[in-house]
Amino acid sequence: MLLSSKPRTGTSAPADRRKTSPIAPSSAPLFLLSFRHRDELASIAAGAGWQVVAARRAGGGERRFLSCGAAVAVVDARGATAEGIAATAALGGAVEANGGALLTLVSRGENASITALYDAGATHFLASPFSDAEFLQALRFAARHAERMAREWHTGAVFEPLGWRYTIADRALVLTPGLAALLACPERPTVRGILGLLDRDDRVAAMAAFRRMTQARSATAFAHDFDGVGRIVQHLQFDPVAGKIDGVVEPLGSTPEPAAEVREALSGARDAGSARRWITRHLGEDASAPLHLLLIALNRFETVNTAYGRVAGDALLRSAQTRVNDAVVEMLGRDALVARMGGSTFMVATQAPRLRVDLAAERIAAALTRPFVSGDTIAVLGCRIGLAEAGPQDDAARLLRRASEALAEARESDSATLRVAEAYGGGATIDRLAVELHHAIERGDIGILFQPQVAVTTGQIVGVEALARWQHATLGTIGAEMLFAAAQRADLEIGLSDHIQQLALSLAANWPETLGELRLSLNLTAADIARPGFADVFLDRVDASGFPRTRLTLEITESGLIEDLGIAAALLSLFRGAGCRTAIDDFGTGYSSLAYLKALPLDYLKIDKKLAQDITGSPRDRIVVRGVIDMARSLGLTVIAEGVETPEQLEGLAKEGCQIYQGFLCAEPLTEEALVALLARS
């Protein structure tokens, strides 16, 4: 009938044990991680009916929690605060995504760690010293929290009402089955026994509500807190003729907020609770396409959050969600759902075809690999992704758990960014695109297009950049970014790079006379830079093709320089000494470093298209673009602007001293025949 989250005080230990000993769900699984007291805690929980899966080491904890099917996890951080926080962070995402509860045990002198544990994903806390009964009571409250979360996943279903009836004549109290299960009450509860669970303030409020009820005023209510549910209201109705009192328990907040419901319907869910409801609703529909679920976890986020603080961490999370949103809209459209599931874990749900989902996963992984900037901080994060396809037997909880298991496998892997949970359980690397890519290289399905580079002052086409394109039978045209993301997973990055370089050089060496004066720009990957002896191999390839070294420009992106700046500088020096020119590509993608310009032997600086398009933005945007161009020209570099699409952008760049541009204003990437025709018209 009456609920409370506050323990009673002033009672003896035996009496307290009798009042609070919980009744654990029959054989309910419990995952327990304790670095020093594993056997002791496991014995206490097992004696109360829990089916305990216990561990002493944190390694593989997330996988074990998911595989055992537990809704409640315990991390014992007593005397091992740092290890406990790390373990909580490792488990927190899986617990949150699956609607579970995470109880952490802390030493009395380590209460300051509670904030860090909460931030890492803990939902409940218990400070030592504590009795066996207090530990079991904490487990019970954690289990209730998980049960409430499970009910939220099934919005729209018919639930057992929470209520009670008290007959005055015989002093009999009867609870509805739903309330009895929630309270874990004895078969014959008494008013005195349940009131005894309340602290003094709640007891006073309850008795005052009873006294307010008369024949003239038969209805009243009072409110109090309930751990795991939050604020609740007890609605009381007195029937003087029948001599009974009926009570209905209403958890506040159980009714969806209208504004939130409209927002979810119009623009998709953005939080874990509404995301689960979205999944449940779509699984219940008779859809022609299966539902796919992606769980995305950022790498190294906790390290950055600890090193630079929560403000920087929150900024990184916002930037990460923006990148995920952009990739999803581009690859899956606006019908897909994107939500943050808690911590640094995001979810994407869609009914798009599987190949399109695989491609979206690759795009998301590529987007999150690019370094982030928060203030003066540069952070390289990356991500791991778990994917699950809904089967006939899946509900929201089961589908989320399978996706979480795939994510856990990806996290445990040394190299796999993505893992997929197959329909009948287990996990396997997402390899569909990778396998197709291997055959596409063999069949020659990957071709080369050329995008013109135009002198700003004369309008003359002075060069082209070679861009790889895969004409996929199902997905259409796939560009270089997605190609290399798939190739990296399949360990085909070097093979793909070799194929593109050989093909571009062969085509350019046999250009007709009308193209005979153009420069050719080729992109080098991070894998190329790291290859021992790559300079000799590449120059031999150039000479064998017959294309002159002096008309060749080699471009390297900033992402390929972050960890190998010294190696890149030596390699570019060799190429310049051999007659080639060198360029840094995509400069200004959010983490530009002046160290690159100082350390590298460069001829060109290519401004990223987003930065170049800022020339028509705010005054501050124009100042930044002007500063980059002035700096590059002061260093003797030729400035090339990418992604120029409007005459206004070109005019602004020209005024600031940009010398070459490429973009749709002149032409999209072209075949050799279309390039010849364009030059003829020029």
Side-chain angles (χ1 to χ4, degrees):
M1 178 175 74
L2 304 173
L3 313 173
S4 175
S5 62
K6 301 177 182 178
R8 299 187 65 200
T9 58
T11 58
S12 63
D16 189 49
R17 181 185 296 268
R18 286 193 301 272
K19 281 183 177 292
T20 60
S21 289
I23 299 174
S26 177
S27 299
L30 170 71
F31 179 74
L32 189 152
L33 171 61
S34 177
F35 303 99
R36 291 171 172 79
H37 309 286
R38 180 192 64 178
D39 296 340
E40 175 188 350
L41 293 173
S43 177
I44 296 170
W50 294 90
Q51 183 181 349
V52 182
V53 175
R56 185 173 283 118
R57 295 181 177 85
E62 181 184 19
R63 178 81 176 277
R64 295 185 67 184
F65 164 73
L66 292 166
S67 62
C68 75
V72 178
V74 177
V75 174
D76 183 5
R78 293 175 296 170
T81 303
E83 295 92 334
I85 293 173
T88 301
L91 286 171
V95 171
E96 170 71 17
N98 290 279
L102 203 166
L103 169 65
T104 53
L105 311 179
V106 297
S107 299
R108 189 76 65 182
E110 298 174 346
N111 286 355
S113 65
I114 287 180
T115 299
L117 289 165
Y118 178 81
D119 291 339
T123 60
H124 296 72
F125 302 90
L126 183 62
S128 66
F130 50 79
S131 67
D132 295 358
E134 288 170 330
F135 174 56
L136 295 174
Q137 179 78 333
L139 287 179
R140 183 177 72 167
F141 283 126
R144 289 180 185 173
H145 173 83
E147 289 170 3
R148 179 179 66 86
M149 295 299 293
R151 288 197 303 274
E152 284 187 0
W153 289 4
H154 299 282
T155 297
V158 178
F159 299 117
E160 188 73 43
L162 304 180
W164 49 270
R165 172 171 291 172
Y166 178 67
T167 305
I168 298 173
D170 55 11
R171 298 183 179 182
L173 175 66
V174 180
L175 309 184
T176 64
L179 184 58
L182 189 64
L183 289 174
C185 281
E187 293 183 3
R188 295 183 179 180
T190 65
V191 172
R192 182 182 296 273
I194 293 183
L195 283 173
L197 296 176
L198 300 177
D199 67 5
R200 184 177 181 280
D201 291 340
D202 285 341
R203 227 173 13 248
V204 169
M207 296 309 299
F210 279 107
R211 295 190 188 100
R212 286 195 297 270
M213 291 185 298
T214 64
Q215 290 187 3
R217 184 179 182 181
S218 60
T220 188
F222 71 100
H224 59 91
D225 292 326
F226 173 44
D227 185 66
V229 173
R231 193 75 174 165
I232 70 167
V233 175
Q234 301 255 11
H235 298 276
L236 310 183
Q237 182 77 39
F238 174 47
D239 184 346
V241 176
K244 62 185 179 182
I245 300 173
D246 291 325
V248 174
V249 179
E250 176 195 9
L252 289 180
S254 60
T255 302
E257 177 193 355
E261 287 291 289
V262 172
R263 183 170 61 250
E264 178 181 343
L266 293 178
S267 60
R270 289 295 181 268
D271 61 87
S274 54
R276 295 187 190 103
R277 293 194 292 271
W278 190 95
I279 295 170
T280 299
R281 187 165 63 248
H282 281 69
L283 286 174
E285 296 174 352
D286 184 17
S288 57
L291 184 66
H292 294 95
L293 211 64
L294 288 164
L295 283 181
I296 304 130
L298 298 179
N299 298 338
R300 299 182 291 278
F301 173 75
E302 293 302 329
T303 302
V304 174
N305 202 35
T306 301
Y308 299 104
R310 292 190 61 179
V311 174
D314 290 345
L316 289 181
L317 288 177
R318 289 192 295 270
S319 297
Q321 182 153 2
T322 298
R323 293 189 189 182
V324 173
N325 283 333
D326 291 345
V328 168
V329 170
E330 179 182 356
M331 305 306 301
L332 301 175
R334 297 189 178 276
D335 291 335
L337 173 136
V338 178
R340 182 180 169 197
M341 300 302 287
S344 57
T345 301
F346 302 92
M347 186 195 77
V348 174
T350 179
Q351 290 178 302
R354 172 60 186 277
L355 278 177
R356 178 62 63 179
V357 175
D358 290 351
L359 199 60
E362 299 283 5
R363 175 58 59 88
I364 292 169
L368 295 178
T369 298
R370 298 198 311 270
F372 293 83
V373 171
S374 178
D376 296 330
T377 302
I378 298 175
V380 183
L381 300 180
C383 70
R384 299 298 172 98
I385 302 176
L387 184 149
E389 179 178 310
Q393 305 302 318
D394 279 329
D395 57 13
R398 190 175 295 110
L399 182 59
L400 274 164
R401 185 170 290 272
R402 293 203 299 113
S404 297
E405 290 172 351
L407 176 60
E409 287 189 8
R411 280 173 158 170
E412 292 175 5
S413 169
D414 291 334
S415 58
T417 299
L418 303 102
R419 291 280 186 178
V420 63
E422 297 297 349
Y424 296 100
T429 303
I430 297 178
D431 58 2
R432 193 169 300 184
L433 278 179
V435 171
E436 291 191 26
L437 177 59
H438 180 78
H439 294 304
I441 294 174
E442 292 181 341
R443 292 193 304 263
D445 291 346
I446 297 173
I448 299 293
L449 298 179
F450 301 99
Q451 185 165 42
Q453 297 175 332
V454 186
V456 170
T457 54
T458 65
Q460 179 183 359
I461 296 174
V462 294
V464 293
E465 180 181 1
L467 301 170
R469 292 292 185 269
W470 178 10
Q471 297 302 322
H472 193 281
T474 303
L475 302 175
T477 302
I478 298 176
E481 183 179 358
M482 298 307 302
L483 270 174
F484 278 97
Q488 186 176 26
R489 265 204 330 94
D491 198 23
L492 287 173
E493 191 173 11
I494 290 177
L496 177 62
S497 184
D498 286 345
H499 173 76
I500 292 171
Q501 291 166 10
Q502 289 172 343
L503 182 58
L505 288 167
S506 176
L507 291 172
N510 292 284
W511 275 341
E513 186 176 348
T514 53
L515 306 181
E517 299 301 321
L518 298 183
R519 296 195 62 81
L520 173 68
S521 292
L522 284 178
N523 290 280
L524 303 183
T525 68
D528 289 329
I529 295 173
R531 291 165 66 181
F534 172 70
D536 292 336
V537 172
F538 180 80
L539 291 174
D540 287 344
R541 180 176 297 149
V542 174
D543 295 340
S545 72
F547 190 82
R549 296 180 180 182
T550 54
R551 284 171 46 206
L552 187 61
T553 300
L554 302 177
E555 299 184 5
I556 184 167
T557 62
E558 289 184 83
S559 59
L561 297 170
I562 291 173
E563 296 180 357
D564 297 311
L565 185 58
I567 296 175
L571 182 66
L572 295 185
S573 293
L574 285 173
F575 285 138
R576 289 188 86 203
C580 305
R581 293 186 185 176
T582 59
I584 186 167
D585 194 11
D586 295 338
F587 192 84
T589 51
Y591 52 96
S592 304
S593 171
L594 298 181
Y596 301 151
L597 302 186
K598 292 194 300 181
L600 297 175
L602 298 170
D603 299 289
Y604 300 94
L605 183 146
K606 297 188 70 175
I607 301 176
D608 178 72
K609 63 181 180 181
K610 291 183 179 179
L611 182 60
Q613 291 168 0
D614 281 347
I615 196 65
T616 56
S618 68
R620 292 176 65 90
D621 290 335
R622 292 195 295 274
I623 290 172
V624 172
V625 180
R626 180 185 305 139
V628 171
I629 293 174
D630 288 346
M631 176 180 59
R633 297 195 64 177
S634 297
L635 293 172
L637 306 181
T638 299
V639 180
I640 303 174
E642 296 183 285
V644 179
E645 297 178 355
T646 67
E648 292 76 18
Q649 292 171 359
L650 179 58
E651 181 180 359
L653 291 165
K655 288 180 178 178
E656 301 303 336
C658 180
Q659 293 124 309
I660 298 174
Y661 80 93
Q662 66 183 82
F664 284 5
L665 180 60
C666 173
E668 61 185 4
L670 304 171
T671 63
E672 180 180 310
E673 293 76 11
L675 180 61
V676 170
L678 177 63
L679 260 72
R681 291 195 300 273
S682 299

